[in-house]
Amino acid sequence: ERLMHEVTADVVRTNFSGKEYDPARFASALGCAPRDAVQQLITGLDLPTTVDEYLALSRPKMEEAWTHAPAIPGAARLVEHLRASAVPIAVATSCDRAALARKASAHSTLFGAFGEHVATIDDVSAGKPAPDLFQRARELLGPSAPPADECLVIEDAPAGVRAAHAAGMRAVVLVSDLIPAAEYDAVSPDARLTSLYEFDPVRWGLPAFGDIICGSVPRMPPLRLEGHVTRGYGRGSKELGIPTANLPASAYAELLSSTTCGIYHGWAQVGDGPVCKMVTSIGRNPYYGNTEKTVEPHLLHTFDGDFYGERLRVLIVGYIRPELNFPSLDALIAAIKADIECARVALDDDYYAEFKADHLFTERAAERANL
C-alpha cells in the first residue's frame, strides 16, 4: 500500500504540473481494481489523461517497486500458523496475475502456502468493493470451504471490507496511518488491528499461536539498528522517570516506514559497553501526538552518566503490544513499567537470550580484539 502511494505521488508530481496526490483523499480507491482506482484518481484530480495513458506511466514504476516490496510484518507467521493448523486459506487480490507474480517473486514461501487458492482480478467480472473476489476465493477452497459467514477476511483497505461484508463474510482490517479513521468507520469492520502481531486467532474460533513467549511475540527476522545517540524530546527522564537513548529517525526513515508501530524488546549496547536488555517504542507516541516516527529505546542498565553521541546498537527481537493512547500520564507510566517487566522476564528465555550474542555485537568485539 505504501509503495503504491509513493509511486502514485511520483507519477502525478512528475507528469502533471500543478497536481498533488493526497493518499487520504483517495482512500476509497485502495483495494479496487487497478483501472477503477486510476479512473477515480483521474476524475478526482482532473488529470488530462486516460486510464490507459496513466497506466503506461505508472506500471513500470509499480513493477519495479513490487520486486523489492517487504512483506507485512507478522504475515509470514500468521500464514504459516494457519497452514500448519490445516486451516483453509486463500488470497483474493485486485491485482492481475502478472502483477501478483511480480509481488510474489520475493516471497515465494509466503505465497506458496496458498497453493492454487488465489483469486485475482482476472478471475472475476467485478473487483472490490463487489463481493466477487472473495466468493471466488472461497470456491477455490473446494470441499474444505466453510460457509461464508464462517469465513474471516483480513483486509487493509476500506473497499476490501465492503467486499467481504457483501460476500457475507467477517472482516478484520489492518489500519493504515495514511487513511483517515472516518474511512474505516464508514465500513464498520468487525475488528481493527494496527499490526498482524495483534491478531488473536482464538477470538475467531481458530487455533491459538504456539510461539508466544512471556507475553511477547518473536519478531522474525530481528531488526538491527545502529547509530549515534541523539537528544530526543526530553520527556523520558523529566516527565516519565524512564530515560531513553534516541536514535536519529532520519537515518532509518525507509526502514521505519515498513515497520509496524508498537512496543518491542531486545538487546542493546552503548559503545564498547555490556550488551543489556532493552525495551523500545517504534512510532509516534499517540499520548504526545508526535508527527514523526521515532525509535526510543530504554536500556535496562544503570549508567554513570548520559551517553549522547555514543554509538548505540539495538537488536529488536520481540513484540509486546501496539502503541496506545492513555487517559493520563500515570496510566502511560504504568504501561511503560509493565512493558519493562515483560522485557526483563522474556529476555531470560533461552530463545531470546541467544540473541545477546548476535553478530551486531560480536563483530564489534572481534574488531576490538584485533586492534
Side-chain angles (χ1 to χ4, degrees), residues 39-320:
Q39 186 57 63
Q40 289 188 47
L41 178 70
I42 291 173
T43 301
L45 292 181
D46 192 25
L47 300 181
T49 188
T50 66
V51 170
D52 288 330
E53 290 170 345
Y54 181 90
L55 288 173
L57 296 171
S58 66
R59 271 181 176 151
K61 294 178 180 290
M62 286 303 308
E63 289 173 3
E64 169 61 23
W66 290 137
T67 59
H68 54 79
I72 295 174
R77 169 186 180 247
L78 175 57
V79 169
E80 174 54 26
H81 170 66
L82 296 175
R83 186 202 62 77
S85 301
V87 175
I89 53 177
V91 171
T93 175
S94 295
C95 293
D96 58 37
R97 290 203 173 272
L100 180 62
R102 285 186 287 272
K103 283 186 183 182
S105 62
H107 308 286
S108 57
T109 301
L110 174 61
F111 280 93
F114 296 95
E116 298 300 315
H117 303 156
V118 178
T120 73
I121 195 65
D122 295 332
D123 303 320
V124 296
S125 58
K128 303 171 188 177
D132 303 40
L133 274 167
F134 290 120
Q135 291 170 338
R136 177 56 182 159
R138 179 175 168 272
E139 289 173 0
L140 290 172
L141 294 175
S144 65
D149 61 0
E150 294 181 12
C151 292
L152 179 67
V153 171
I154 299 179
E155 257 291 345
D156 63 355
V161 175
R162 289 187 189 276
H165 285 165
M169 302 175 183
R170 300 166 295 173
V172 173
V173 67
L174 185 63
V175 301
S176 167
D177 54 10
L178 297 175
I179 299 178
E183 294 288 340
Y184 296 118
D185 294 339
V187 298
S188 302
D190 296 276
R192 304 184 197 205
L193 304 174
T194 59
S195 164
L196 286 180
Y197 292 128
E198 291 176 59
F199 182 72
D200 179 9
V202 175
R203 175 180 174 182
W204 307 99
L206 299 169
F209 283 117
D211 62 350
I212 296 175
I213 301 173
C214 301
S216 69
V217 178
R219 188 197 190 282
M220 294 301 294
L223 184 63
R224 296 174 178 84
L225 302 174
E226 184 173 359
H228 292 96
V229 178
T230 61
R231 293 188 181 275
Y233 295 99
R235 298 184 295 236
S237 296
K238 293 178 183 177
E239 292 187 30
L240 304 173
I242 304 169
T244 58
N246 301 286
L247 286 170
S250 58
Y252 301 101
E254 184 174 349
L255 179 63
L256 293 181
S257 69
S258 60
T259 300
T260 300
C261 292
I263 310 303
Y264 297 82
H265 65 66
W267 300 96
Q269 180 184 39
V270 177
D272 295 334
V275 178
C276 56
K277 295 175 180 179
M278 172 278 306
V279 62
T280 185
S281 66
I282 295 180
R284 298 180 177 81
N285 296 309
Y287 179 80
Y288 290 105
N290 297 351
T291 57
E292 182 183 39
K293 205 170 185 179
T294 59
V295 183
E296 300 183 14
H298 168 70
L299 280 59
L300 280 63
H301 181 80
T302 300
F303 293 89
D304 294 332
D306 65 49
F307 38 81
Y308 293 117
E310 290 276 359
R311 194 76 177 172
L312 175 65
R313 299 170 189 84
V314 172
L315 179 71
I316 296 172
V317 298
Y319 172 89
I320 298 175

Side-chain angles (χ1 to χ4, degrees), residues 327-343:
S328 67
L329 184 61
D330 287 344
L332 171 61
I333 293 173
I336 294 174
K337 289 182 176 178
D339 298 333
I340 291 172
E341 186 58 24
C342 176

